[in-house]
Amino acid sequence: MAIEVFRRSEKKYVIDNEAYLKMRNFLKTYMISDKYNKDDNTYHISNIYYDTHDDYLVRNSIEKPIYKEKIRLRTYGTPDLNSFSYIELKKKYNGITYKRRTKIKLYEAYDFLNNKIFPENNGYINKQVLNEISYFISVYNPVPKIKISYDRYAFFSLDTKDLRVSFDRNIFFNTENLQLESSEKGNRLLKEDYWILEIKAEKGIPIWLTNYLSENKIYSTGFSKYGSIHKRLISLTKEDDKCFMQQQLPLLAKSLL
């Protein structure tokens, strides 16, 4: 039965390609690369983030409350409707992230999340997690809002699974085509030579890694992909409204003469 439960702290950083290459070589001394990084290459991840009609979940997250939650649908590689995906329910309380997720076929996930159709009983879906997600849906009634995709290179600690370091680049977002099986990327979030570094730890960041970050002046930014994209879209909307008003004001003034 596919169930994954995580409880950990998460720190995020924005670094350039030079810093990425240097840190990746350094980490190989202490950690092992993810099995999906075949031939030492990145692997592709795509997500659909669900939110309320008025974007409550992301707006609340941006305010940095002591408690927040979100839901997303994730796939790896280039999926089709019969590929496995993951529905992930993430909650963050007082700086600690709790994640519950379950494996599910992509077409089943669409039916469940978009139409509230429960999948048939099978051996790969965890019903307990699905019921938790169902309750979340009943409270927020979320709808698909945005597709975010990127390439990832990741590391695990050599001895345990309590430390994970990942690097994400080529981050694209799409608000029109919200199908994970589609190859349409949309718009780029960051410049091509920038990476999002994320460090996830259950027992705290080890001293050797803390020292490396300090010596190389790599500082946490609290970066959120979904939150950053939402703020950009809001900014563009305001700019469009401003341009529209600049066009209309002369006409309005003329009509008042």
Side-chain angles (χ1 to χ4, degrees), residues 13-171:
Y13 314 76
V14 180
I15 61 175
D16 61 20
N17 196 56
E18 182 181 354
Y20 157 72
L21 292 173
K22 180 180 179 180
M23 187 170 180
R24 191 182 75 168
N25 288 334
F26 168 78
L27 289 175
K28 287 181 177 180
T29 304
Y30 295 89
M31 307 181 76
I32 55 175
S33 59
D34 194 305
K35 64 180 180 180
Y36 295 110
N37 292 125
K38 296 178 180 179
D39 299 322
D40 212 31
N41 293 317
T42 58
Y43 59 93
H44 192 67
I45 297 176
S46 296
N47 308 274
I48 295 177
Y49 282 79
Y50 285 71
D51 209 327
T52 63
H53 284 282
D54 63 353
D55 300 322
Y56 168 77
L57 295 175
V58 67
R59 289 190 292 106
N60 181 59
S61 178
I62 290 171
E63 294 297 324
K64 300 187 182 301
I66 191 170
Y67 174 78
K68 58 184 179 181
E69 51 192 346
K70 63 183 176 183
I71 187 171
R72 68 188 177 200
L73 175 62
R74 167 171 290 189
T75 55
Y76 297 88
T78 304
D80 57 42
L81 289 175
N82 283 301
S83 297
F84 281 115
S85 62
Y86 293 88
I87 304 176
E88 301 184 339
L89 183 61
K90 294 188 71 175
K91 302 181 180 185
K92 191 170 186 178
Y93 176 72
N94 202 24
I96 302 298
T97 298
Y98 303 83
K99 184 168 78 171
R100 307 273 285 174
R101 77 176 192 172
T102 184
K103 196 174 184 179
I104 186 171
K105 291 287 185 70
L106 184 55
Y107 76 89
E108 295 174 319
Y110 285 151
D111 283 343
F112 177 67
L113 292 169
N114 300 341
N115 304 310
K116 300 181 180 179
I117 299 174
F118 270 77
E120 296 181 2
N121 190 19
N122 52 55
Y124 52 82
I125 296 177
N126 184 277
K127 292 297 182 180
Q128 179 181 344
V129 173
L130 209 63
N131 286 334
E132 292 179 27
I133 295 171
S134 179
Y135 177 76
F136 180 95
I137 291 173
S138 71
V139 172
Y140 291 107
N141 194 30
V143 295
K145 281 286 184 171
I146 193 166
K147 175 183 174 181
I148 303 176
S149 60
Y150 43 88
D151 299 320
R152 169 168 289 183
Y153 196 100
F155 287 93
F156 288 100
S157 56
L158 284 169
D159 49 353
T160 66
K161 296 292 184 180
D162 64 352
L163 175 66
R164 179 171 170 81
V165 178
S166 61
F167 302 88
D168 298 337
R169 74 176 300 186
N170 295 328
I171 305 169

Side-chain angles (χ1 to χ4, degrees), residues 225-239:
K225 297 183 184 76
Y226 184 23
S228 298
I229 293 168
H230 177 76
K231 286 188 282 189
R232 176 182 292 189
L233 293 174
I234 292 297
S235 176
L236 290 173
T237 300
K238 289 181 178 179
E239 188 64 29

